[in-house]
Amino acid sequence: MRPLIIIGALAVVIIIRVSMRMRKRRQQADQAAMMAGEEAESAGEATTTGPVAPTASSHRAANFGARFGDVGIIAMREITERVRGRIFRVGTVVILLAIGLAIIIPNLNHHSAGSGVTTQEVGIVGSLSPEFQKVVVEAGKADKDDVHFVTESSLDQAKRNLRDKSLAFAIVNDDALLLNEPPSDSSSPADPTLVQDVAEYFGLLHSYQSADLTSAQIHSVTNAQSIPVNLLSQGQTKKVNATSVVGLIMLFVLLTQYCTWILIGVMQEKSSRVVEVLLAAVRPIQLLAGKVLGIGLVALSQAVVVVGFALLVAKAVGSDVLKGSEPMALLAELVWFVLGYAFYCWVYAAAGSMAERQDQVQTLAFPLSIPILIGYIFSITVVSSGNASPLFKVLAYLPPTAPFAMPALVAINQVAWWQFLASVLITLAATAGVAIFAARIYSRAVLRTGGRVRLKQLRNS
Amino acid sequence: MAAVLELRGLSRRYGDIVALDDLSLEVPSGQVVGFLGPNGAGKTTTMRAIFGLTDLDGGSVHWNGKPVDQKTRRRFGYMPEERGLYPGMHVGEQIEYFGRLHGMSSHDAANSTGQWLERLEIANRWNDKVEVLSHGNQQRVQLAAALVHQPELIILDEPLSGLDPVGIDAIGKVLVDQAHAGCCVIFSSHQLDQVEELCEQVTIVDHGHLVVTGTVDELATSGPRRLVVRVECDRDGAWARSLPGVTVSEIRGSEIRLVLDDNTDSDVVLTAAMAAGKVTQFSFGRRRLSEVFRESLA
């Protein structure tokens, strides 16, 4: 598994290096084009394309945005600037690394306990009956080991192969196992669980043979099944849904991050006065819609990349972190990420339009984050315990807390489809109302300067 | 020359403060018009009203006889007093972006951006972020952002503030060229000497209403006679203050500008000046714009 981590880390480093090199090359190309333009100008040649040609990628992005009018152009600028920003790139790499490590590290522990799929070269010194060979193969399957037998010509030969680690362990005349070092050592190629199992099963087989059991009897005994354990009640305790917990954490991180981006972005446009130049050309609602759409698309893309990466890594390392979850829980979290962003982005944009400085942003952001925190903490508790109180079920219908509470109810399977749909409709209706109210605040507050704007001032304006 | 921009009875109050008080004005195209007034006179509010950036209590803005709407405003260019740029965005992309928002295609916006950066001598800063530029170069980027879409009306709030003489000349030349190309150019400034040099017409407002408007020539030649006198080693013009019918208008170094009543004989002034010291200059002069400004607001 270590090579996987090293490969992953190398891949991240290579991606960063390549992107930096590509950026440098683009700049060099632009500078070369600019110098060429200047030379042509000084030589008296007519230039029709200006002194510096913009990059093809910026043109493609601009053209794509233009298809959606002014809102599309504004959204495209947000996407380009955000994705280009160091915060986004470093943040994405950090999230991917964290997700990757969160999946790989437990899997490493799992593997050390014998559940990883590895190849085990097992030497045979002397003879080993088919029954014993079958036991080794079955034990390997149970421990996720692919067993290959290697016939050794002598004990010395087996020892040499053990020392140079071409063998995991050797079976000597079906009554002893030989290893170079303890299987629990990190340098040992042997799966300690397989060694333990083979030793136990061989002991049992010898006991069965001593008791004069026939092959059929031995087979019957070794394939004995446990009797079923039936419960009259499911009880209060349920298995913690790891996927839902991870999903809720990601939901909280991404929702908070992107809403804060909107808050700060609006505040910066206002404090730098660039908003005056923008609103001289477009309507406030267009500027606001372009901003929330652009940042929203970046947020959704990052969420998709993170989920896709997690699934990929989980599959690559054979992790069961994501396997146990119901697909509905993941789907619900994705749906509520979109709905939660749609609800909160307007509120944060309106708040941003009332601030002019960083310290004012922090003052405004705190009360807005309270319902998010309440929804998040309650939901994590509910998903962990597997039990939802009536109060929590009410939170699942309130738009400020529903983005966390409703996916939590889905994760513990305590919500019907119509309840889910009802909550979605309530949130959509509330989002429409909030968007109209926030757009009014935004258009009145964003051009007001000279300190933080109060709602009372806007009501009187 | 037909008036193209009309402000009709603009009114705006902020609580007890009157920002605009029934302000009416006509501005012709093809000229650079100086929009002057003391601090708090209502200049910025008027400019913002033209772009719909402030709600009006009354009045309306017309362009070629029609009320100005959002579509019309896309053909205007605006340069606010404080920097209106994204500090972390690249110069070229930023100007292109503003061009796009004014309805240009991506290709046209890129071409126009290149041409303006070349003309304003900052073509080599295309890929630089605005925040790393000097004040003067940021001012040029701001001007390029206002002009990139070839506007019919250009309104600039204090475009010359903080610039060195080279920067003032460069931006001033651009404004004059735009006016000669048929644009309507309006800008505010407290640098009255530059305004006098650049503008054909001047409008002065105070307390939200129009005080005076006219061509620079009309304003310079109107009013009572004035003398420009230099007396060696005289810096305060004390000798002139006691003369009947004479008012000291301005003192700049050893140059003293005097306003004479109709009945005052200039020979009397010359005699008094010679008594005060060696006279190196004694001539009749035009009203300076700074004098027009002060006398209009007195």
Side-chain angles (χ1 to χ4, degrees):
Chain A
M1 213 51 53
R2 277 195 195 99
L4 258 178
I5 298 176
I6 293 166
I7 289 167
L10 276 174
V12 170
V13 171
I14 288 167
I15 289 167
I16 292 172
R17 296 283 302 171
V18 167
S19 67
M20 285 172 69
R21 188 162 292 182
M22 284 173 71
R23 189 180 173 193
K24 200 173 174 182
R25 277 185 187 167
R26 271 204 304 272
Q27 284 177 348
Q28 285 169 346
D30 289 343
Q31 281 167 3
M34 182 194 75
M35 288 170 72
E38 283 175 350
E39 283 166 10
E41 193 80 7
S42 61
E45 294 172 16
T47 53
T48 55
T49 56
V52 184
T55 58
S57 60
S58 69
H59 259 315
R60 277 197 299 275
N63 287 330
F64 179 77
R67 289 179 195 168
F68 302 95
D70 292 338
V71 173
I73 294 169
I74 293 163
M76 212 59 226
R77 191 202 81 85
E78 290 292 339
I79 292 168
T80 309
E81 291 299 308
R82 302 289 171 181
V83 172
R84 182 186 286 165
R86 189 174 294 169
I87 293 175
F88 176 81
R89 286 183 297 169
V90 173
T92 305
V93 170
V94 168
I95 290 174
L96 293 182
L97 275 177
I99 291 281
L101 291 175
I103 294 169
I104 292 169
I105 287 173
N107 208 55
L108 280 176
N109 293 334
H110 230 149
H111 167 69
S112 65
S115 69
V117 179
T118 55
T119 301
Q120 294 281 292
E121 301 288 343
V122 178
I124 299 173
V125 180
S127 62
L128 187 67
S129 68
E131 286 170 352
F132 278 71
Q133 287 191 20
K134 191 180 175 189
V135 165
V136 177
V137 170
E138 290 300 323
K141 281 182 185 170
D143 295 332
K144 296 188 176 177
D145 290 321
D146 189 11
V147 175
H148 291 176
F149 290 112
V150 179
T151 304
E152 299 294 331
S153 57
S154 66
L155 185 59
D156 288 339
Q157 176 66 32
K159 284 178 180 174
R160 276 195 296 277
N161 289 340
L162 284 168
R163 286 194 189 98
D164 65 20
K165 300 195 189 301
S166 57
L167 287 182
F169 62 94
I171 302 169
V172 184
N173 297 322
D174 76 23
D175 55 5
L177 301 184
L178 187 63
L179 289 93
N180 188 49
E181 66 265 272
S184 55
D185 275 13
S186 58
S187 58
S188 171
D191 178 354
T193 312
L194 180 65
V195 173
Q196 178 74 26
D197 289 348
V198 170
E200 284 179 12
Y201 294 154
F202 277 26
L204 282 172
L205 282 174
H206 284 303
S207 298
Y208 297 151
Q209 285 173 344
S210 302
D212 287 333
L213 297 182
T214 63
S215 294
Q217 287 170 325
I218 290 171
H219 181 77
S220 174
V221 170
T222 52
N223 285 289
Q225 298 290 318
S226 302
I227 60 170
V229 178
N230 298 320
L231 300 172
L232 293 176
S233 161
Q234 287 299 320
Q236 295 296 311
T237 308
K238 288 188 176 178
K239 188 184 171 188
V240 174
N241 191 331
T243 307
S244 297
V245 172
V246 171
L248 284 171
I249 292 170
M250 288 309 302
L251 189 63
F252 174 74
V253 170
L254 293 180
L255 199 59
T256 309
Q257 175 187 323
Y258 285 103
C259 285
T260 306
W261 275 18
I262 287 184
L263 182 73
I264 292 173
V266 171
M267 182 276 293
Q268 285 174 338
E269 280 183 351
K270 179 178 176 174
S271 62
S272 69
R273 303 289 192 271
V274 71
V275 73
E276 291 188 20
V277 182
L278 295 167
L279 293 183
V282 298
R283 292 186 175 86
I285 188 65
Q286 290 175 308
L287 181 58
L288 183 57
K291 183 170 280 292
V292 299
L293 180 67
I295 293 178
L297 286 173
V298 174
L300 189 61
S301 307
Q302 194 183 40
V304 168
V305 166
V306 167
V307 171
F309 178 77
L311 290 169
L312 220 67
V313 173
K315 191 174 180 186
V317 301
S319 168
D320 56 4
V321 169
L322 295 167
K323 286 177 186 169
S325 69
E326 294 177 19
M328 278 303 290
L330 271 182
L331 187 64
E333 278 163 353
L334 193 61
V335 167
W336 281 100
F337 172 63
V338 174
L339 291 172
Y341 175 81
F343 178 81
Y344 276 107
C345 67
W346 303 105
V347 182
Y348 274 77
S353 70
M354 297 165 78
E356 241 181 316
R357 298 194 312 268
Q358 194 71 33
D359 60 311
Q360 294 170 347
V361 163
Q362 286 162 359
T363 310
L364 286 162
F366 178 67
L368 298 180
S369 65
I370 289 175
I372 293 179
L373 275 170
I374 290 173
Y376 170 65
I377 292 167
F378 273 71
S379 301
I380 290 284
T381 311
V382 164
V383 170
S384 302
S385 68
N387 189 37
S389 66
L391 172 66
F392 185 80
K393 288 179 178 171
V394 172
L395 292 181
Y397 295 95
L398 301 180
T401 48
F404 295 98
M406 189 48 79
L409 287 182
V410 172
I412 61 172
N413 202 21
Q414 288 193 17
V415 66
W417 68 267
W418 62 267
Q419 291 171 316
F420 185 92
L421 184 64
S423 182
V424 169
L425 292 175
I426 290 170
T427 299
L428 284 176
T431 299
V434 164
I436 292 167
F437 183 62
R440 280 186 189 160
I441 291 179
Y442 175 85
S443 54
R444 289 184 186 186
V446 79
L447 290 169
R448 274 179 174 254
T449 54
R452 190 183 142 191
V453 180
R454 309 269 171 186
L455 279 175
K456 190 179 169 187
Q457 294 172 286
L458 299 177
R459 200 169 58 236
N460 297 335
S461 67
Chain B
M1 197 169 292
V4 285
L5 179 69
E6 291 172 77
L7 310 182
R8 298 180 186 173
L10 303 188
S11 300
R12 176 66 168 135
R13 294 177 73 95
Y14 295 104
D16 295 332
I17 300 167
V18 178
L20 297 177
D21 182 15
D22 195 26
L23 177 69
S24 294
L25 186 63
E26 290 188 357
V27 184
S29 60
Q31 289 189 2
V32 181
V33 177
F35 194 51
L36 311 179
N39 291 329
K43 303 186 298 292
T44 299
T45 306
T46 305
M47 292 177 167
R48 286 160 63 98
I50 293 168
F51 285 92
L53 299 175
T54 188
D55 294 330
L56 288 170
D57 298 328
S60 56
V61 180
H62 294 253
W63 178 249
N64 285 335
K66 292 177 184 173
V68 168
D69 56 14
Q70 190 67 29
K71 193 177 169 188
T72 312
R73 287 192 189 104
R74 287 164 75 101
R75 307 201 304 270
F76 297 170
Y78 180 47
M79 180 172 169
E81 180 181 3
E82 293 183 61
R83 203 77 59 247
L85 299 167
Y86 289 105
M89 198 171 171
H90 295 176
V91 168
E93 288 181 6
Q94 182 145 206
I95 297 170
E96 270 186 70
Y97 175 62
F98 287 121
R100 303 295 316 285
L101 288 182
H102 281 89
M104 298 182 90
S105 72
S106 178
H107 183 260
D108 290 348
N111 282 349
S112 183
T113 298
Q115 285 159 6
W116 275 113
L117 291 184
E118 182 73 21
R119 181 161 176 196
L120 292 166
E121 297 172 353
I122 48 172
N124 57 337
R125 312 309 296 267
W126 184 294
N127 281 317
D128 287 340
K129 289 183 177 177
V130 169
E131 63 195 358
V132 304
L133 302 184
S134 66
H135 173 85
N137 280 343
Q138 287 190 18
Q139 199 85 324
R140 289 168 197 236
V141 173
Q142 188 79 68
L143 181 64
L147 297 173
V148 63
H149 56 291
Q150 313 295 341
E152 297 169 17
L153 167 68
I154 306 162
I155 292 185
L156 311 100
D157 200 355
E158 298 284 353
L160 308 176
S161 68
L163 291 178
D164 60 24
V166 176
I168 289 174
D169 288 348
I171 289 185
K173 186 174 185 322
V174 168
L175 298 184
V176 170
D177 288 349
Q178 287 298 300
H180 289 168
C183 265
C184 180
V185 180
I186 303 171
F187 79 95
S188 69
S189 178
H190 290 297
Q191 291 157 289
L192 300 181
D193 289 344
Q194 269 76 44
V195 174
E196 193 169 0
E197 262 180 43
L198 295 172
C199 298
E200 283 96 345
Q201 183 171 323
V202 165
T203 294
I204 299 173
V205 293
D206 191 22
H207 294 107
H209 62 261
L210 183 68
V211 175
V212 67
T213 186
T215 65
V216 171
D217 277 342
E218 284 169 0
L219 297 173
T221 53
S222 64
R225 293 171 301 154
R226 56 199 65 222
L227 280 170
V228 183
V229 183
R230 283 180 190 268
V231 177
E232 265 188 6
C233 301
D234 176 59
R235 292 269 166 181
D236 60 3
W239 60 269
R241 293 184 195 278
S242 57
L243 294 174
V246 175
T247 309
V248 176
S249 172
E250 270 187 9
I251 298 176
R252 293 189 183 187
S254 62
E255 180 189 293
I256 299 164
R257 299 179 67 85
L258 304 173
V259 179
L260 273 58
D261 285 354
D262 290 343
N263 301 324
T264 304
D265 188 346
S266 58
D267 288 350
V268 175
V269 180
L270 178 59
T271 305
M274 290 171 70
K278 187 179 178 185
V279 177
T280 57
Q281 184 180 356
F282 189 86
S283 60
F284 285 98
R286 284 157 56 101
R287 251 203 323 177
R288 279 197 167 145
L289 191 55
S290 52
E291 292 174 298
V292 174
F293 186 83
R294 263 193 287 274
E295 288 163 17
S296 301
L297 300 177

